[in-house]
Amino acid sequence: MERRTKKLIHLFHCAEAEDLAQSVAEQSDTIQLRTIAWRNFEDGFPNLFINDAHDIRGQHVAFLASFSSPTVIFEQISAIFALPKLFIASFTLVLPFFPTGSFERVEEEGDVATAFTMARILSMIPKSRGGPTSVVIYDIHALQERFYFGDDVLPCFETGIPLLLERLRQLPDASSITIAFPDDGAWKRFHKQLQHFPMVVCAKVREGDKRIVRIKEGNPNGQHVVIVDDLVQSGGTLIECQKILASSGAAKVSAYVTHGVFPKQSWKRFLQNNDDPNNCFTYFWITDSCPLTVKAIADKPPFEVLSLASSIADALQI
């Protein structure tokens, strides 16, 4: 069978995703980095310029985004909406972390499901000459959010779990790994990808006025237990899971999340030199889907970054 020729991809990126974009480009000589001048007018609104715009006519173009805060979304959306109109052959938006994914439900009248709002905005990206935009997202919080996107974009949902599996195979105690999930939602989300490991499922139960973490099923005794979830915010649930797993006999406890959000520098709670001797993670793996976090935790045990670069490079060839 004849091998398909790889597309030449012209990859643009936002300012904070520069390091990840460089890593993606290093994966293949078919990916060329392009630049945008990210400037602002005196009133703070974006003053953007797509450099060498004529050179991308008829070419396959991608944009690597990072919606780390509402303040940077507008300038990136402006560039994202402009690129498909430059007579390009196709357009792919890579948004590793879909930031409003955990706000996907209306539980009472008046709630605003901002995941739906974000999906509607992205669904309005103009078509390129090749048709609808492809939108690549990693480990979106709730799989049903795929139905929030309109028919004018093609959402492609990828996962960081293969990166975790590769790292687990490298561990000296790889044969003693047990996977733990902090709740039923994480189990539903990931258990099929990790089904060849023994599993522990935790749950929050009410005791009096408190909600505490308990082991719902499984046995961590003597195992290196790796807690798996899609994202971490304050980290409180992970810490409570670690404590109950350790007290139930786990030899080691580590954690993996695809998206290390960590608002207000909450990653500091997990440092191995912190003041809580009961909070001890052997490893804490995250991907580089949140670039600001990656810079903050560099060279700080127990954190290790598993890069999405190779996976993104492959996704750009779909």
Side-chain angles (χ1 to χ4, degrees):
M1 181 181 294
E2 184 177 347
R3 295 181 63 183
R4 187 180 67 171
T5 302
K6 287 190 174 183
K7 298 180 292 187
L8 175 63
I9 306 293
H10 296 261
L11 178 60
F12 293 86
H13 57 85
C14 66
E16 68 186 52
E18 182 176 2
D19 289 346
L20 179 54
Q22 290 278 1
S23 296
V24 173
E26 291 170 0
Q27 304 300 312
S28 172
D29 56 9
T30 62
I31 300 175
Q32 294 185 1
L33 287 184
R34 295 286 182 169
T35 60
I36 295 173
W38 300 96
R39 306 169 301 190
N40 293 93
F41 291 108
E42 291 185 0
D43 60 4
F45 278 87
N47 176 18
L48 311 179
F49 187 82
I50 299 170
N51 296 314
D52 303 314
H54 283 278
D55 294 347
I56 62 172
R57 287 184 174 182
Q59 303 297 310
H60 299 287
V61 173
F63 182 87
L64 178 58
S66 178
F67 290 177
S68 60
S69 71
T71 58
V72 300
I73 291 176
F74 179 66
E75 64 180 14
Q76 292 182 56
I77 287 289
S78 299
I80 289 165
F81 275 52
L83 285 167
K85 294 185 176 182
L86 295 176
F87 299 96
I88 61 178
S90 70
F91 183 57
T92 300
L93 169 63
V94 181
L95 180 62
F97 174 47
F98 187 74
T100 56
S102 57
F103 306 100
E104 85 284 8
R105 290 174 295 179
V106 174
E107 296 184 348
E108 63 175 310
E109 196 67 28
D111 283 342
V112 177
T114 52
F116 182 63
T117 307
M118 180 64 70
R120 291 184 68 181
I121 292 172
L122 297 180
S123 297
M124 296 297 292
I125 298 173
K127 291 183 176 69
S128 65
R129 293 176 67 182
T133 293
S134 299
V135 181
V136 180
I137 298 172
Y138 282 82
D139 290 320
I140 198 165
H141 183 67
L143 288 177
Q144 68 266 24
E145 292 175 57
R146 68 175 64 232
F147 304 112
Y148 292 176
F149 292 85
D151 293 337
D152 290 330
V153 295
L154 302 173
C156 176
F157 296 107
E158 298 288 339
T159 179
I161 293 298
L163 302 175
L164 172 64
L165 293 174
E166 181 180 359
R167 183 67 181 94
L168 294 180
R169 285 192 290 266
Q170 298 169 358
L171 297 179
D173 56 355
S175 61
S176 300
I177 298 295
T178 288
I179 300 298
F181 301 103
D183 51 41
D184 286 333
W187 177 84
K188 292 176 182 178
R189 184 73 179 80
F190 293 115
H191 80 278
K192 289 185 178 180
Q193 300 174 70
L194 298 161
Q195 57 188 344
H196 55 289
F197 290 99
M199 295 185 183
V200 171
V201 181
C202 298
K204 285 186 177 180
V205 298
R206 184 172 296 281
E207 288 190 2
D209 296 332
K210 297 181 179 180
R211 286 175 60 85
I212 61 176
V213 174
R214 289 284 183 258
I215 293 177
K216 179 181 177 181
E217 59 183 84
N219 181 11
N221 188 50
Q223 296 289 293
H224 182 174
V225 182
V226 180
I227 306 169
V228 174
D229 209 350
D230 63 319
L231 62 85
V232 58
Q233 297 267 4
S234 68
T237 299
L238 290 180
I239 289 173
E240 292 305 310
C241 285
Q242 185 273 334
K243 290 179 179 179
I244 189 64
L245 291 166
S247 66
S248 299
K252 300 176 184 177
V253 180
S254 296
Y256 165 86
V257 297
T258 303
H259 311 297
V261 184
F262 291 122
K264 299 180 180 179
Q265 297 185 317
S266 55
W267 51 266
K268 290 182 177 179
R269 303 177 69 182
F270 295 90
L271 297 181
Q272 290 180 341
N273 61 350
N274 65 19
D275 296 328
D276 184 358
N278 296 315
N279 173 20
C280 183
F281 284 79
T282 303
Y283 299 100
F284 198 128
W285 295 292
I286 64 172
T287 76
D288 41 7
S289 66
C290 299
L292 298 181
T293 297
V294 170
K295 291 182 179 179
I297 57 90
D299 301 318
K300 293 182 174 66
F303 290 104
E304 288 187 9
V305 177
L306 309 179
S307 181
L308 294 170
S310 179
S311 179
I312 292 173
D314 290 341
L316 293 177
Q317 294 296 331
I318 296 175

